[in-house]
């Protein structure tokens, strides 16, 4: 009896497997097939699919096949595929990563774009990471601005009797609004965070921007070591801790692992949510039923000019192992440097354009009303700087220790000391 | 001491059903049922949540029964082109069936050889398998991964299969069983002119039916639920096995608790019934082998 | 006479040849296959003396050397005395792993042994139903277990906090509050320990039940007749008889909890503030998230030594027990 059922199961299995593994239909003769790897983000993918369709319409003999990987696995996929020469022809690349494995990349051919042309075409922050030792290794698609942008829930604002749209001249105005927005349930647990800034990228980048705006720097003069234990860094971290003490957010209940800012905001649990504008598209996709009214604004600087640092965000490059380098680079140029296509991609993915010419265009302003608000700030963006391991520094060193300070697990001094020591130990 | 007490006459006859005995029984059932509810409750919560709306699962305090009983979550999953569940079932099944079949074959064959044959280097080879049994997978994980990368087997289900063809533990178990088989059985067959492969196929394998079934079901369960190694090897979505698809689905649908619970139900429940069906063998396997 | 012996000899030699052929046809492919295993082990051993990342080009042999330099014992020195983030994380992970294993073992025994004993003592047709249900979580994929418990631990809408609220208590951010703790162990660690125990206790229960079934009923009855109460009968008769099983269960529980990964990776991914970062998770992150494979290989070697030490220690105890 049992043996029969087992046999039945096995047969069923094999049938299922056979059904599941039917191969993709073969391309017609003469078609050049290019594989294209990106990380999983539905809004980005929609943008790429449109760009591919446009390119294929102009070049009927080219077939570009898009494959996507989870963000966490994407770097791993690239780094293990490259030594084996298994990677796709066209690769999506996060600009700041370039310095970590430019050894396995190929420079952008001069006829596609030279370093000088690139520096003139794109904002400084997006292009900075793609240049290692004066050589250009890829082309940026977005201004990856994690600093300054916030989602604001209009419904909660009006319920709290605050002026909308918000009139912020200083950070004190933001904090005052946030205090009015915060709600705590009868057991003392925060149910609505007035100003949720306790996620990884917002904490790290508001920390770094604050250092810059206060006139300090986290790099030494020749970019060979970090300097996190400075008066400016101390003032900034203390400022962030004071915001928590003012009751605008409970970093224990609101952080990266619970109530991540996009989820919490689109569930109505956040008044002002600090997050890059890329989150807008994601939130709209994931929470189509969210009924509250909201908009996207930029925070005032701590003091002086709104100086900030940014990663070189997502961009494209071509594998040195590709059989069709010329076509692949042509496609990359088409997607990244053709203003019309670039604008379409930025609108689909909800990202800020990497080219000033595109960022200032009316179609961008029409589709993404928050971009014009950012135009005044964008020129102040500096590139983050080439780090030995950017993710390690941002996600395992800066964010955890800043969060510790916010949660009161470490003092401000302990956190700064730890960030300084650990970040410098990444230089081997 | 024991003999001494046994020899003394019984002081008093055993008490018939008394209150204390009844109370003891009641207490036993009470505790067991308490433990039972603790075991079952998370499953019940999962199933009930999967029939709620995503807004309802966010409510404080949570509702027990779904207020608006809805199949929306299940329909969403069935209609999600990014989540061809049957394909992922197929992937899991392929890996599990292939690995189980190959280890059953190699374990029985090599176990039989170790039990019934003498050959030079036998001790060394046996010692090697003994060592392999002691070495945990995390030691070999990194180089195995690098080899797969070199072979271009990352993102291939074959990558989950090639390092699992020989299982040291299975060999031990089968050797143990083969040693109990009488030599006369084989000698008689040899006199009748049977070849060695025929003896393995016609005589040894049928004798090993029960232990092979146990080993097979345990192996199937182990492969079906495996997480870390498949997660490392299978980076592309369409080749993934069920546990990794489930975490992927969770991370791409954060904040949609009911939907994630529906996916969890769909991914863990069907096979749970199959395992339950074979539960006796699995329990037997655990107690016999001590491995899971 | 002579002729028969010849024939026997011939037949025997024919047999020997076919046996040899059989052994060769099994062992030769086997040896080839196992040489892959030896290669893997050797590579694992070499890797821990290098600062190796597959993203860098490195030298000609397996990418070792060049931009993936030989560092000797530096990885190990760094692990135990360095102040880099990897070294701090490693030490935190080692400590957390030990806390986890040391907490899980007694809790597991405290749940499984009494329950198994109760279940064995009730002896009726409900028994198999009870056992089946207790066994359900063992059969469940640990990813599913983690997701179910995550939803129960949710600080706002989770059931556990709902129960606490109903009794007028203060709700807890189970998986994300680095400040809360109990008995010097963080609350998040307790949360994952509970989820892990929930999945695991059915396994030890069935083993105990099998062992208890092996205890002759007459012995216990005799003790009861002699005026011993149930507790005395349990500690004096039953417990000594199932001691080998006890020890075996201890070894297995210890080993698997030293290598815990799935439940923690899904539930907390090591957080909050690395309070649930265990060694397997740290190894995984070092090797695959940060591509620091030389370092990760060195870490796995340390984990291997720990596991080996525990096993050998327990095997010694087991062996002395068998002799007795």
């Amino acid at each position: 009896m049992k043996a029969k059922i087992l046999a039945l199961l096995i047969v069923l299995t094999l049938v299922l497997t056979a059904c599941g593994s039917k191969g993709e239909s073969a391309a017609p003769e003469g078609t050049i097939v290019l594989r294209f790897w990106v990380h999983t983000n539905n809004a980005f993918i929609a943008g790429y699919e449109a760009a591919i369709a446009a390119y294929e319409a102009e070049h009927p003999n080219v077939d570009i096949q898009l494959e996507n990987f989870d963000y966490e696995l994407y770097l791993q996929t690239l780094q293990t595929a490259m030594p084996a020469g298994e990677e796709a022809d066209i690769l999506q690349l996060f600009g700041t990563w370039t310095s970590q494995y430019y050894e396995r990349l190929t420079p952008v051919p001069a006829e596609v774009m030279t370093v000088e042309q690139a520096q003139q075409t794109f904002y400084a922050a997006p292009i900075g990471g793609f240049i290692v030792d004066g050589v250009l290794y890829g082309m940026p698609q977005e201004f990856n601005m994690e600093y300054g942008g916030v989602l604001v829930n209009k419904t909660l604002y009006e319920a709290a009797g605050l002026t909308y749209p918000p009139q912020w001249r200083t950070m004190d105005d933001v904090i005052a609004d946030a205090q009015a927005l915060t709600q705590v349930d009868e057991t003392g647990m925060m149910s609505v965070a007035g100003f949720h800034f306790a996620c990884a990228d917002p904490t790290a980048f508001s920390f770094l921007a604050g250092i810059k705006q206060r006139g300090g720097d986290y790099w030494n003069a020749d970019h060979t070591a970090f300097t996190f234990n400075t008066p400016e860094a101390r003032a900034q971290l203390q400022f962030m801790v004071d915001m928590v003490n003012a009751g605008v957010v409970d970093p224990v209940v609101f952080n990266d692992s619970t109530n991540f800012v996009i989820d919490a905001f689109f569930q109505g649990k956040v008044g002002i949510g600090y997050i890059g504008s890329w989150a807008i598209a994601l939130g709209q996709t994931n929470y189509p039923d969210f009924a509250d009214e909201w908009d996207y604004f930029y925070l005032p600087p701590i003091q002086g000019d709104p100086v900030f640092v940014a990663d070189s965000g997502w961009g494209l490059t071509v594998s040195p192992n590709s059989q069709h380098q010329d076509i692949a680079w042509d496609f990359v140029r088409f997607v990244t440097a053709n203003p019309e296509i670039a604008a379409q991609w930025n609108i689909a993915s909800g990202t800020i354009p990497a080219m000033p010419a595109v960022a200032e265009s009316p179609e961008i302003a029409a589709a993404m009303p928050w971009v014009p608000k950012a135009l005044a700030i964008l020129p102040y963006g500096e590139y983050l700087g080439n780090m030995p391991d950017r993710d390690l520094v941002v996600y395992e060193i800066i964010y955890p220790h800043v969060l510790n300070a916010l949660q009161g697990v470490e003092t401000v001094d302990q956190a700064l000391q730890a960030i300084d020591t650990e970040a410098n130990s990444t230089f081997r | 001491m024991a003999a001494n007490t046994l020899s003394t006459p019984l002081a008093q006859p055993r008490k018939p059903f008394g209150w204390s005995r009844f109370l003891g029984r009641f207490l036993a059932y009470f505790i067991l049922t308490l433990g039972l509810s603790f075991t079952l409750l998370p499953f019940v919560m999962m199933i009930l949540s999967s029939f709620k709306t995503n807004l309802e699962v966010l409510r404080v305090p949570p509702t027990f029964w779904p207020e608006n009983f809805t199949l929306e979550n299940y329909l969403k999953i069935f209609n999600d082109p990014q989540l061809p569940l049957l394909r992922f079932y197929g992937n899991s099944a392929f890996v599990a069936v292939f690995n189980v079949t190959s280890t059953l074959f190699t374990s029985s064959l090599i176990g039989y050889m170790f039990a019934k044959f003498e050959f030079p280097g036998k001790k060394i080879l046996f010692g090697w398998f003994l060592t392999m049994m002691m070495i945990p997978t995390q030691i070999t994980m990194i180089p195995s991964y690098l080899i797969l990368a070199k072979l271009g087997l990352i993102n291939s289900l074959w990558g989950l299969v090639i390092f699992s063809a020989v299982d040291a533990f299975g060999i031990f178990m089968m050797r143990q069983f083969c040693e109990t088989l009488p030599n006369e059985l084989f000698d008689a067959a040899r006199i009748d002119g049977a070849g060695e492969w025929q003896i393995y196929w016609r005589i040894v394998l049928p004798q090993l039916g029960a232990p092979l079934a146990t080993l097979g079901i345990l192996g199937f369960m182990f492969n079906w639920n495996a997480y870390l190694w498949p997660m490392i090897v299978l980076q592309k979505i369409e080749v993934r096995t069920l546990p990794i698809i489930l975490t992927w689905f969770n991370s791409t649908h954060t904040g949609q608790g009911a939907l994630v619970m529906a996916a969890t139900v769909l991914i863990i429940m069907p096979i749970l019934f199959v395992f339950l069906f074979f539960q006796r063998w699995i329990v037997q396997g655990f107690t016999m082998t001590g491995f899971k | 006479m002579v002729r028969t012996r010849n024939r026997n000899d011939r037949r025997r030699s024919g047999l020997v040849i076919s046996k040899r052929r059989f052994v060769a046809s099994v062992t030769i492919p086997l040896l080839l296959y196992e040489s892959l295993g030896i290669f893997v082990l050797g590579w694992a051993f070499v890797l821990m003396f290098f600062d190796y990342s597959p993203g860098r080009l490195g030298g000609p042999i397996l990418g070792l050397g060049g931009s993936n330099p030989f560092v000797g014992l530096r990885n190990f020195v760094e692990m135990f005395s360095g102040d880099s983030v990897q070294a701090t994380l490693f030490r935190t992970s080692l400590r957390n792993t030990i806390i986890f294993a040391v907490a899980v073992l007694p809790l597991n025994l405290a749940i499984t042994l009494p329950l198994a004993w109760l279940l064995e003592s009730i002896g009726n047709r409900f028994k198999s139903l009870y056992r089946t249900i207790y066994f359900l979580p063992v059969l469940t994929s640990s990813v599913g277990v983690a997701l179910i418990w995550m939803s129960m631990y949710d600080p706002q809408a989770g059931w556990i906090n709902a129960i606490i609220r109903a009794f007028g208590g203060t709700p807890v951010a189970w998986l994300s509050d680095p400040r809360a703790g109990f008995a010097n162990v963080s609350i998040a660690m307790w949360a994952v320990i509970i989820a892990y125990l929930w999945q695991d206790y059915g396994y030890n229960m069935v083993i105990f039940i099998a062992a208890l079934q092996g205890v002759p009923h007459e012995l216990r009855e005799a003790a009861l007749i002699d005026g011993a109460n149930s507790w005395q009968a349990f500690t004096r008769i039953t417990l000594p008889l199932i001691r080998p099983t006890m020890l075996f269960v201890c070894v297995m529980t210890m080993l698997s909890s030293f290598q815990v990964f799935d439940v923690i990776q899904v539930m907390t991914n090591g957080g909050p503030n690395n309070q649930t970062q265990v060694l397997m998770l740290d190894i995984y992150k070092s090797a695959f998230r940060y591509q620091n494979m030389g370092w990760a290989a060195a870490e796995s070697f340390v984990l291997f030594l720990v596991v080996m030490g525990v096993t050998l220690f327990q095997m010694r105890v087991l062996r002395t027990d068998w002799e007795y």
Side-chain angles (χ1 to χ4, degrees):
Chain A
M1 174 66 177
K2 275 176 187 169
K4 264 186 197 163
I5 289 177
L6 190 69
L8 193 75
L9 277 176
I10 293 175
V11 170
L12 207 69
T13 307
L14 293 177
V15 171
L16 282 179
T17 318
C19 293
S21 57
K22 256 176 209 151
E24 288 99 56
S25 54
E29 286 289 310
T31 304
I32 295 165
V33 177
L34 293 178
R35 290 187 305 146
F36 181 12
W37 280 2
V38 301
H39 84 286
T40 309
N41 176 326
N42 289 338
F44 279 45
I45 290 170
Y48 285 123
E49 278 168 353
I52 290 170
Y55 188 81
E56 285 176 351
E58 283 183 27
H59 304 83
N61 63 329
V62 178
D63 177 17
I64 295 170
Q65 295 177 347
L66 197 63
E67 295 173 36
N68 66 81
F69 302 87
D70 286 3
Y71 173 77
E72 290 265 320
L73 285 174
Y74 186 56
L75 185 64
Q76 177 191 338
T77 308
L78 280 182
Q79 295 204 344
T80 46
M82 282 177 164
E86 291 271 319
E87 76 275 24
D89 303 86
I90 306 155
L91 305 169
Q92 189 193 31
L93 187 66
F94 197 72
T96 311
W97 293 347
T98 312
S99 68
Q100 279 166 250
Y101 49 123
Y102 66 96
E103 283 185 11
R104 295 213 187 271
L105 296 173
T106 180
V108 180
E111 62 271 21
V112 173
M113 193 168 274
T114 64
V115 178
E116 294 72 36
Q117 284 169 339
Q119 281 166 336
Q120 284 157 16
T121 314
F122 300 102
Y123 281 113
I127 195 67
F130 285 100
I131 302 170
V132 180
D133 299 334
V135 180
L136 183 65
Y137 287 97
M139 315 260 282
Q141 289 189 276
E142 57 146 349
F143 196 128
N144 191 285
M145 186 184 184
E146 297 289 352
Y147 161 78
V150 288
L151 289 159
V152 174
N153 186 318
K154 183 182 175 190
T155 309
L156 288 177
Y157 248 75
E158 286 170 348
L162 296 167
T163 334
Y164 186 90
Q167 306 296 320
W168 298 327
R169 274 165 301 120
T170 64
M171 280 304 290
D172 289 341
D173 300 338
V174 180
I175 295 167
D177 280 5
Q179 282 174 316
L181 289 165
T182 300
Q183 292 172 26
V184 176
D185 70 14
E186 68 279 6
T187 53
M189 178 171 276
M190 188 174 281
S191 51
V192 174
F195 178 32
H196 181 2
F197 63 93
C199 287
D201 286 322
T203 14
F205 284 91
S206 57
F207 176 61
L208 297 178
I211 295 173
K212 286 275 187 182
Q213 291 171 5
R214 290 167 198 275
D217 200 346
Y218 54 90
W219 285 107
N220 69 354
D222 55 357
H223 278 220
T224 51
F226 292 111
T227 54
F228 278 109
N229 211 346
T230 59
E232 293 85 6
R234 186 163 295 105
Q236 177 59 19
L237 190 51
Q238 187 61 53
F239 171 76
M240 293 164 73
V241 171
D242 290 343
M243 284 203 288
V244 170
N245 292 339
V248 302
V249 67
D250 180 353
V252 172
V253 188
F254 290 85
N255 53 46
D256 242 22
S257 49
T258 50
N259 288 315
F260 180 60
V261 63
I262 303 175
D263 300 314
F265 184 85
F266 287 97
Q267 290 169 1
K269 294 197 276 193
V270 169
I272 306 169
Y274 198 140
I275 191 78
S277 57
W278 54 269
I280 296 171
L282 199 62
Q284 284 172 322
T285 318
N286 284 355
Y287 297 91
D289 305 331
F290 184 55
D292 292 6
E293 279 187 74
W294 53 272
D295 202 350
Y296 195 79
F297 296 96
Y298 286 89
L299 296 172
I302 300 288
Q303 62 181 50
D305 288 332
V307 187
F308 68 99
V309 291
D311 273 301
S312 282
W314 293 103
L316 300 180
T317 189
V318 169
S319 156
N321 298 316
S322 170
Q323 300 294 316
H324 306 284
Q325 304 254 346
D326 46 342
I327 302 170
W329 277 118
D330 189 54
F331 173 75
V332 169
R333 181 170 54 187
F334 178 77
V335 178
T336 58
N338 177 329
E340 198 185 317
I341 302 295
Q344 279 174 13
W345 186 86
N346 287 124
I347 291 168
S349 61
T351 49
I352 300 174
M355 286 185 282
V358 177
E360 290 154 8
S361 72
E363 52 176 322
I364 289 285
M368 297 187 285
W370 56 89
V371 175
K373 296 178 198 163
L375 284 178
I377 310 178
L378 290 178
Y380 290 99
E382 296 171 11
Y383 172 55
L384 179 70
N386 286 340
M387 298 181 178
D389 191 331
R390 178 264 180 198
D391 281 12
L392 193 68
V393 171
V394 173
Y395 296 136
E396 302 286 342
I397 298 173
I398 298 179
Y399 170 61
H401 286 296
V402 172
L403 188 65
N404 281 347
L406 298 182
Q407 293 174 334
V409 177
E410 286 176 354
T411 65
V412 168
D413 285 324
Q414 283 168 339
L416 288 177
Q417 182 62 51
I419 294 174
D420 198 58
T421 315
E422 290 176 4
N424 277 313
S425 77
T426 61
F427 292 100
R428 287 236 187 154
Chain B
M1 177 70 192
N4 199 0
T5 43
L6 274 180
S7 62
T8 54
L10 301 179
Q12 53 187 52
R14 237 172 101 189
K15 259 192 246 165
F17 289 98
W19 273 110
S20 74
R21 197 174 155 79
F22 177 76
L23 202 71
R25 287 226 121 186
F26 178 76
L27 214 66
Y29 271 107
F30 181 73
I31 296 172
L32 281 172
T33 313
L34 209 67
L36 198 78
S37 348
F38 182 70
T39 313
L40 268 185
L41 215 60
F43 285 111
V44 175
M45 296 298 171
M46 166 183 72
I47 294 168
L48 288 179
S49 294
S50 72
F51 291 113
K52 296 176 185 174
T53 62
N54 282 313
L55 281 178
E56 193 181 337
V57 290
L58 288 176
R59 202 167 310 160
V60 186
T63 52
F64 185 76
W65 281 112
E67 214 161 66
N68 297 308
F69 185 90
T70 173
L71 288 172
E72 170 199 13
N73 299 308
Y74 288 96
L75 292 176
K76 226 182 203 167
I77 292 169
F78 288 133
N79 294 328
D80 187 348
Q82 278 193 312
L83 201 71
L85 268 184
L86 267 189
R87 180 180 192 126
F88 301 130
Y89 264 97
N91 291 343
S92 275
F94 171 80
V95 174
V97 169
F98 198 97
N99 274 345
V100 166
T101 323
S102 62
T103 49
L104 288 188
F105 171 67
T106 55
S107 300
S108 54
L109 184 62
I110 300 166
Y112 164 58
M113 200 184 66
F114 273 127
K116 295 294 177 191
F117 291 83
E118 289 303 324
F119 54 92
K122 179 173 159 179
K123 279 214 171 111
I124 299 173
L125 196 60
F126 197 69
W128 164 252
F129 284 120
L130 208 102
T131 323
M132 285 310 280
M133 225 165 82
M134 302 294 256
I135 290 176
T137 44
Q138 66 265 18
I139 284 278
T140 50
M141 188 169 76
I142 296 168
S144 302
Y145 174 76
L146 293 172
I147 289 176
L148 288 188
K150 285 241 185 317
L151 295 176
L153 286 179
I154 298 293
N155 285 324
S156 157
L157 291 176
W158 295 106
L160 285 190
V161 160
I162 63 159
F163 286 108
S164 329
V166 175
D167 170 32
F169 175 72
I171 293 174
F172 272 86
M173 198 173 135
M174 289 305 138
R175 173 178 165 265
Q176 223 67 2
F177 276 96
C178 287
E179 272 177 346
T180 62
L181 301 177
N183 284 330
E184 292 78 23
L185 212 62
F186 314 121
D187 289 339
R190 281 184 190 117
I191 286 166
D192 289 345
E196 293 298 329
W197 282 100
Q198 272 177 312
I199 293 175
Y200 163 72
W201 193 252
R202 297 250 175 87
I203 298 172
V204 178
L205 269 190
Q207 297 283 338
L208 293 177
L212 279 180
T214 308
L215 195 66
I217 288 167
L218 286 192
F220 187 88
M221 201 176 92
F222 174 80
N223 275 294
W224 191 271
N225 287 339
Y227 179 56
L228 174 57
W229 181 236
M231 176 170 71
I232 294 168
V233 175
L234 306 175
Q235 298 160 355
K236 240 189 256 178
I237 288 164
E238 62 267 27
V239 290
R240 290 184 174 177
T241 53
L242 290 168
I244 347 174
I245 273 302
L246 189 52
T247 46
W248 169 80
F249 190 79
N250 177 50
S251 66
T252 48
H253 295 81
T254 47
Q256 303 182 58
L259 191 63
V260 171
M261 282 299 115
T264 313
V265 169
L266 285 175
I267 285 176
I268 69 177
M269 293 310 270
I271 202 71
L272 210 52
F273 286 111
V274 177
F275 289 151
L276 269 186
F277 192 79
F278 290 104
Q279 192 211 8
R280 196 176 293 269
W281 286 4
I282 297 175
V283 169
Q284 206 179 29
F286 279 165
T287 47
M288 191 162 71
T289 64
F291 279 87
K292 51 172 175 167
Chain C
M1 187 69 188
V2 173
R3 273 167 67 183
T4 40
R5 202 172 67 204
N6 263 347
R7 212 165 64 196
N8 268 347
D9 274 359
R10 205 177 302 144
R11 175 186 276 161
R12 194 173 292 155
S13 70
L15 272 180
V16 166
I17 288 171
S18 77
K19 273 187 175 179
R20 268 194 200 149
R21 220 179 259 156
F22 176 71
V23 167
S25 64
V26 175
T27 45
I28 290 170
L30 183 65
L31 284 175
L32 284 177
Y33 185 80
E34 289 305 313
S35 60
L36 181 71
I38 294 174
F39 179 65
V40 167
L41 265 191
W43 196 348
F45 188 76
V46 171
L47 211 50
M48 61 193 178
F49 303 110
F50 283 82
D51 174 15
Y52 175 79
S53 164
R56 294 191 291 258
L57 275 178
I61 304 159
L62 301 177
L64 299 172
S67 52
N68 291 318
F70 176 78
V71 293
L73 291 173
R74 209 179 73 187
N75 282 337
F76 293 97
V77 174
E78 177 71 22
M79 255 179 228
F80 291 100
S81 60
D83 58 1
S84 68
V85 65
Q86 289 98 338
T88 330
L89 271 176
F90 165 78
R91 290 192 293 265
T92 311
S93 313
L94 186 61
R95 204 183 58 230
N96 288 339
T97 311
I98 292 169
I99 291 175
F100 184 87
V102 167
V104 160
L105 182 64
L107 286 175
N108 186 306
L109 291 184
I111 296 168
T112 53
L113 194 53
L115 280 182
W117 182 69
L118 282 179
L119 199 53
E120 181 51 26
S121 72
I122 58 170
N124 60 18
R125 63 207 159 92
F126 288 120
K127 198 156 94 181
S128 81
L129 178 74
Y130 273 90
R131 198 184 64 179
T132 303
I133 291 175
Y134 276 118
F135 201 61
L136 267 182
V138 180
L139 304 173
T140 311
S141 138
S142 43
V143 173
V145 170
L147 290 181
I148 296 172
W149 278 89
M150 268 170 92
S151 79
M152 308 238 307
Y153 280 129
D154 189 282
Q156 278 136 346
W159 266 95
I160 295 177
N161 274 352
I163 294 168
I164 291 176
R165 281 197 181 96
F167 286 98
T170 323
V172 182
W174 293 95
L175 298 176
S176 63
D177 189 345
R179 299 166 309 190
F182 175 73
N184 275 330
V185 174
S186 71
I187 207 78
M189 183 56 105
W190 284 116
V192 292
I193 286 173
I194 289 170
Y196 182 84
L197 281 172
W198 181 80
Q199 184 186 19
D200 208 39
Y201 55 66
Y203 169 71
N204 283 350
M205 264 183 80
V206 296
I207 293 187
F208 277 134
I209 289 171
L212 288 170
Q213 278 167 346
V215 175
H217 254 266
E218 300 76 34
L219 278 180
R220 212 179 139 258
E221 297 285 306
L224 287 176
I225 288 167
D226 281 352
N229 60 31
S230 297
W231 174 247
Q232 285 169 327
F234 177 70
T235 52
R236 306 237 173 106
I237 309 283
T238 315
L239 217 47
L241 281 172
I242 61 162
R243 226 186 115 195
T245 312
M246 281 279 292
L247 289 165
F248 171 77
V249 161
C250 289
V251 180
M252 293 314 295
T253 310
M254 226 25 181
L255 283 187
S256 53
S257 48
F258 264 110
Q259 299 174 56
V260 60
F261 176 83
D262 305 4
V263 172
I264 294 185
Q265 198 259 356
V266 178
M267 283 178 73
T268 64
N269 200 16
N273 191 21
N274 300 318
Q275 283 169 351
T276 56
Q277 179 100 336
V278 285
L279 264 182
M280 271 313 286
L281 190 58
D282 199 46
I283 292 169
Y284 168 74
K285 285 185 183 173
S286 301
F288 298 103
R289 176 79 172 80
Y290 295 108
Q291 303 281 312
N292 217 338
M293 289 193 172
W295 173 266
E299 280 186 293
S300 358
F301 190 69
V302 173
L303 176 56
F304 167 62
L305 289 183
V306 172
V307 165
M308 199 68 167
V310 173
T311 318
L312 288 179
F313 173 76
Q314 309 250 25
M315 266 166 65
R316 260 180 85 130
V317 180
L318 261 172
R319 193 165 298 150
T320 52
D321 192 69
W322 280 338
E323 278 160 15
Y324 149 86

